[in-house]
């Protein structure tokens, strides 16, 4: 996994953990990535198609874990396990498959309006940045102190 970005490594890890499932939805995969990476927030965020395609290729070539990508009518990605049945002796039936051209264009255009998980989300978590915190204590200014300053 040396040539993968940090978010792609998290996606690969999540897909490997979910390998016993025959169908993985984008929402379930994103939830697993957030859970593994301990990302708080972005609960409605999806997975970028470009990152997912690289991960599917990586798993198909290096881990021999073939998945096929599909797009539903709401432009959400469905990840199906390919060739899980041992009776399939055909090599073509066990290869990973990416989206076709029309579906890929449809998904990419919808990604402009949705939130997706990025490397920046992992950097914020790794940097130890503080999340949004409400101010609970209010400091009051003493008017006597102000008069003494003048």
């Amino acid at each position: 996994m040396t040539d993968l970005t940090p978010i792609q490594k998290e996606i690969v890890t999540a897909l490997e953990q979910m390998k016993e499932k025959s169908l993985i939805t984008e929402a379930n995969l994103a939830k697993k990535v957030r859970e593994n990476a301990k990302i708080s927030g972005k609960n409605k965020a999806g997975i970028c198609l470009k990152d997912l395609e690289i991960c599917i290729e990586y798993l198909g070539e290096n881990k021999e874990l073939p998945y096929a990508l599909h797009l539903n009518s709401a432009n959400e990605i469905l990840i199906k396990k390919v060739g899980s049945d041992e009776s399939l002796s055909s090599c073509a039936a066990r290869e990973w498959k990416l989206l076709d051209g029309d579906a890929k264009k449809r998904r990419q255009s919808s990604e402009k309006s949705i939130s997706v998980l990025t490397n920046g989300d992992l950097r914020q978590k790794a940097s130890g940045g503080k999340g949004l915190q409400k101010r609970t204590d209010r400091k009051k200014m003493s008017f006597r102190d102000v008069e003494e300053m003048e």
Side-chain angles (χ1 to χ4, degrees):
M1 285 199 280
T2 57
D3 57 341
L4 299 176
T5 64
I7 192 70
Q8 291 168 352
K9 289 178 185 178
E10 291 293 337
I11 294 169
V12 166
T13 303
L15 282 170
E16 287 176 335
Q17 291 173 347
M18 300 174 82
K19 67 182 176 187
E20 56 281 337
K21 293 186 177 187
S22 60
L23 178 67
I24 302 168
T25 63
E26 178 183 5
N28 287 340
L29 180 61
K31 181 180 178 183
K32 188 70 168 175
V33 169
R34 283 192 305 274
E35 193 177 284
N36 289 346
K38 295 176 178 62
I39 298 172
S40 60
K42 284 194 131 178
N43 291 336
K44 303 267 183 186
I47 302 292
C48 179
L49 177 62
K50 183 182 80 171
D51 289 335
L52 187 57
E53 284 182 332
I54 291 170
C55 295
I56 295 297
E57 288 179 27
Y58 176 83
L59 285 170
E61 292 173 354
N62 298 328
K63 304 283 184 170
E64 295 171 0
L65 188 59
Y67 286 107
L69 296 180
H70 300 278
L71 203 65
N72 68 11
S73 59
N75 290 337
E76 295 172 337
I77 301 170
L78 301 174
I79 305 145
K80 294 183 180 180
K81 197 169 182 182
V82 177
S84 58
D85 188 8
E86 290 301 322
S87 65
L88 295 173
S89 59
S90 163
C91 192
R94 298 181 143 250
E95 291 182 8
W96 46 270
K97 181 180 170 274
L98 303 178
L99 291 178
D100 61 345
D102 292 337
K104 189 173 184 172
K105 284 180 186 176
R106 237 179 47 227
R107 171 60 190 205
Q108 287 174 333
S109 65
S110 73
E111 279 184 7
K112 294 175 185 172
S113 63
I114 64 172
S115 176
V116 292
L117 294 171
T118 63
N119 289 323
D121 298 322
L122 295 176
R123 277 194 297 272
Q124 288 175 358
K125 177 205 61 115
S127 67
K130 295 182 180 177
L132 182 63
Q133 295 179 351
K134 291 184 178 179
R135 187 172 153 188
T136 55
D137 60 333
R138 296 196 177 236
K139 298 191 179 189
K140 295 183 179 178
M141 188 174 200
S142 171
F143 291 108
R144 293 184 181 140
D145 294 339
V146 173
E147 291 173 359
E148 291 173 4
M149 293 177 134
E150 293 176 352

